[in-house]
Amino acid sequence: MKRLFIVLILCAGTQLASADVSLLLRSRQAVLFAQDTRFDLGVQLGSEIGLGIERRWSFANEVDAGFGGGAAVGMVLQSSGLNGVVYRGIATRSIWLQGWATGSAGIGGSLGVTLNLASYELTSLLFFFPEVIVGPTFATRITDRASIMWAIPLSYQFRSDLDVAFSAGLTGRLAVDFRSPAAYF
Amino acid sequence: MGPRVARCAILASAALFLYSCTFFEASVVPPGFAIVYGVSDYYPASPPISGDSYDLTYPDDDAIDMAALLVEQGFDVILRTNEDATMTQLELDFAEIGSRIEANGGSDTRFVFYFAGHGYGDGMDSVYGSSFPDAWDSYFDSESGASEPTGSGAFTEQLLLHDAMPINSISVQSVDDVLAVLDESLSDDELSDLLGTLPSSMQMVVIDACHSGGFRGSGTAADTIPESYEGWDEGVSVLDTLDAITLYLDYGSGLLDVGASDVGERQAIVISASGEQEFLYEGPVYGNGIFTHYLLQTPAEADRNFDGLVTANEAYAYARDQIVRVENEFFFGEGKFVPRVSGGAVDFVLFEAR
């Protein structure tokens, strides 16, 4: 299934080579604040890596924008056993959609939605939750066809097993552009 | 401007990481209380079925050994075995332990209920064929409450205490006999009610009995292992995914009528020795039931993250892995079994690691 997804992304990238389409590789490191209101707030460290594809637009050389989606896998470590309570670690498989816009200085913002299928660490238990991610971004071009976007994503997870679940962290995203040869002349 | 923003982003992330590390400080384990029941010798007048003894060999030893471990771990334990382990006594013990908890910590305490003995499920006949007495089958066929809502498992499970008559065609011949068995049995919903009387916020249930997976309540997570495990690992299927999404959509809204019963996810962590539709075995090798044998090892073996604490989840994972890797080599098809654990975001410290 994973191989099929990667092949689809590559095929789509090839087919859309004449458009402003980018392949994405992104990594997110975050701190999750989780709470079941019967207990104190728990803090967990999380990490995620994903692939995706997006369409990009440029408006009057002032504003760049993009919209895309992809898939990711990640994990959140369990919290410490403070006062006898531990927030379980989870492993996630997710699909995401995200839009962003940046100004001429490369500074902008992003908004995204992620659908997560997660399993509790050490168990065979599977659960689902959506997540909304928003945050400031900074994009910089490193070559003609590659750029990096940094973001400080703030996310809220709509989890039925927790009363509160939000995270903050850092996302690094590498975008490799597909452009028609004419675009370089 | 650009590098400065990037540096700020990295610094912000590092600050968040360091902030999170402040939570990784030495832990204080709250006081623990436990009720431990084990029944090997059943109803004294129980006639066996054609030479088949209804009694078990190890549950009383399991309970004694588990109680000793809990006492060593600092728990205040009420232990009952065999003729002392009755339904009436259990209700009295829950009232007693509730008083002790109230007087010694209230909600900031841990509670463990452990049971080893016979476990049954209403309506198991539909799964295993006609192995139950006619009176038992016909009673539950006519009871609308016998089958549980989708997502809660198929049946209401019972733990049989000492005075419960054997569920065989000699003892159970009428509706009155069925009711007499149920009076001396602890159902999943009754256990949920008893747990609800205790002030402890950290409750754990450990059951070493056949069909004990049915004590796990419906909630937010779907188990990718079928209730009758036969040894294969299918991974995550499309149906599992749909189950998980269905539970999410139903949670709190009740739109999809998944229903709720048994011991809820936010009520207690349930560790069961078997799935709802699985049997357990006693082996002569260990001097304990197979599941309890491995559970007793967990303070020394199950601290996976080396934090000095063994949580309920870690204890479950250790026992499960040992049974899957070692014990299930000796069983075939439906004879295989695997421990289960309930869902929920929180886990509790069960033992301090040795």
Side-chain angles (χ1 to χ4, degrees):
Chain A
M1 190 65 187
K2 288 176 186 170
R3 285 181 188 164
L4 177 63
F5 186 77
I6 292 168
V7 168
L8 285 175
I9 288 176
L10 293 174
C11 289
T14 304
Q15 291 300 310
L16 297 171
S18 60
D20 289 333
V21 172
S22 302
L23 286 183
L24 309 173
L25 171 66
R26 76 172 197 180
S27 173
R28 176 163 62 130
Q29 316 300 319
V31 178
L32 172 68
F33 300 89
Q35 186 164 31
D36 177 327
T37 49
R38 295 174 298 165
F39 308 107
D40 293 338
L41 188 76
V43 180
Q44 300 173 267
L45 301 178
S47 184
E48 181 186 85
I49 189 163
L51 291 171
I53 188 167
E54 75 176 9
R55 176 74 191 269
R56 304 173 69 155
W57 297 271
S58 188
F59 302 99
N61 291 326
E62 290 291 329
V63 176
D64 287 332
F67 183 82
V73 293
M75 62 181 299
V76 176
L77 302 177
Q78 75 171 43
S79 72
S80 65
L82 196 63
N83 298 324
V85 178
V86 170
Y87 287 88
R88 279 170 158 170
I90 62 173
T92 59
R93 282 161 277 198
S94 56
I95 54 174
W96 52 269
L97 291 173
Q98 185 182 44
W100 57 267
T102 60
S104 56
I107 297 173
S110 67
L111 175 65
V113 176
T114 299
L115 303 179
N116 293 284
L117 196 60
S119 55
Y120 294 114
E121 189 180 21
L122 305 178
T123 78
S124 54
L125 300 168
L126 194 69
F127 65 103
F128 169 83
F129 67 92
E131 179 180 13
V132 174
I133 305 173
V134 63
T137 61
F138 171 73
T140 182
R141 186 156 284 282
I142 53 176
T143 72
D144 280 349
R145 299 186 62 171
S147 62
I148 287 181
M149 178 180 283
W150 297 98
I152 302 176
L154 307 171
S155 85
Y156 191 86
Q157 300 179 351
F158 296 91
R159 285 176 61 170
S160 52
D161 60 340
L162 286 168
D163 297 307
V164 177
F166 61 93
S167 76
L170 178 68
T171 295
R173 199 193 70 160
L174 174 67
V176 178
D177 303 343
F178 286 87
R179 292 179 182 169
S180 65
Y184 294 99
F185 297 100
Chain B
M1 182 69 178
R4 186 181 301 170
V5 173
R7 279 199 297 272
C8 286
I10 293 169
L11 283 173
S13 183
L16 282 169
F17 178 82
L18 290 172
Y19 174 66
S20 72
C21 289
T22 63
F23 284 75
F24 289 76
E25 58 193 45
S27 180
V28 177
V29 178
F33 299 83
I35 293 177
V36 177
Y37 270 49
V39 185
S40 292
D41 304 328
Y42 274 87
Y43 194 66
S46 63
I49 308 175
S50 58
D52 234 2
S53 173
Y54 195 68
D55 289 345
L56 298 166
T57 307
Y58 297 122
D60 52 358
D61 298 320
D62 291 341
I64 291 167
D65 292 345
M66 180 56 66
L69 173 59
L70 289 165
V71 168
E72 176 197 312
Q73 291 278 332
F75 279 75
D76 179 354
V77 179
I78 295 176
L79 167 66
R80 307 282 180 201
T81 59
N82 298 326
E83 66 274 12
D84 294 333
T86 63
M87 189 65 192
T88 304
Q89 187 61 54
L90 183 67
E91 290 168 346
L92 291 172
D93 286 343
F94 263 89
E96 168 61 21
I97 208 83
S99 301
R100 294 187 198 177
I101 294 169
E102 199 65 68
N104 294 283
S107 64
D108 294 330
T109 56
R110 296 172 296 152
F111 171 75
V112 173
F113 174 70
Y114 172 91
F115 177 86
H118 277 304
Y120 274 90
D122 304 347
M124 285 293 176
D125 193 58
S126 63
V127 177
Y128 297 109
S130 302
S131 59
F132 289 90
D134 291 342
W136 182 270
D137 289 342
S138 59
Y139 176 79
F140 289 110
D141 285 346
S142 63
E143 284 289 304
S144 59
S147 292
E148 298 189 311
T150 306
S152 299
F155 312 111
T156 296
E157 274 66 44
Q158 314 280 343
L159 301 179
L160 270 55
L161 293 152
H162 173 265
D163 288 347
M165 292 187 296
I167 305 173
N168 60 37
S169 56
I170 300 172
S171 299
V172 179
Q173 297 184 345
S174 66
V175 170
D176 287 343
D177 294 336
V178 174
L179 295 176
V181 171
L182 296 180
D183 281 346
E184 292 300 331
S185 305
L186 177 66
S187 75
D188 40 23
D189 292 343
E190 287 171 334
L191 177 58
S192 174
D193 291 342
L194 286 172
L195 292 170
T197 65
L198 301 181
S200 291
S201 61
M202 291 163 262
Q203 300 191 8
M204 293 164 269
V205 172
V206 182
I207 306 174
D208 191 349
C210 295
H211 312 306
S212 46
F215 276 74
R216 299 178 302 164
S218 62
T220 59
D223 200 335
T224 60
I225 299 176
E227 290 296 348
S228 180
Y229 171 78
E230 295 184 18
W232 64 83
D233 180 5
E234 294 178 318
V236 177
S237 68
V238 173
L239 284 178
D240 294 330
T241 303
L242 292 176
D243 280 349
I245 294 173
T246 300
L247 286 170
Y248 181 83
L249 295 175
D250 184 75
Y251 187 82
S253 69
L255 283 175
L256 303 180
D257 197 25
V258 170
S261 61
D262 307 334
V263 179
E265 277 180 6
R266 293 212 183 193
Q267 186 170 29
I269 295 173
V270 178
I271 303 174
S272 67
S274 67
E276 188 195 48
Q277 295 169 20
E278 292 164 7
F279 291 97
L280 293 180
Y281 308 96
E282 297 189 296
V285 179
Y286 303 124
N288 288 109
I290 291 172
F291 171 70
T292 296
H293 166 72
Y294 288 113
L295 197 64
L296 292 168
Q297 296 176 357
T298 56
E301 304 289 346
D303 182 16
R304 293 199 181 211
N305 60 356
F306 305 108
D307 63 353
L309 304 170
V310 176
T311 66
N313 209 34
E314 287 176 319
Y316 149 77
Y318 174 79
R320 177 204 60 200
D321 289 351
Q322 295 301 312
I323 287 170
V324 169
R325 290 173 190 163
V326 180
E327 303 301 333
N328 276 340
E329 293 295 313
F330 301 102
F331 301 114
F332 300 95
E334 290 183 353
K336 293 179 186 289
F337 67 99
V338 64
R340 312 301 168 92
V341 69
S342 56
V346 294
D347 186 16
F348 304 130
V349 174
L350 180 58
F351 300 126
E352 293 181 71
R354 289 185 187 131

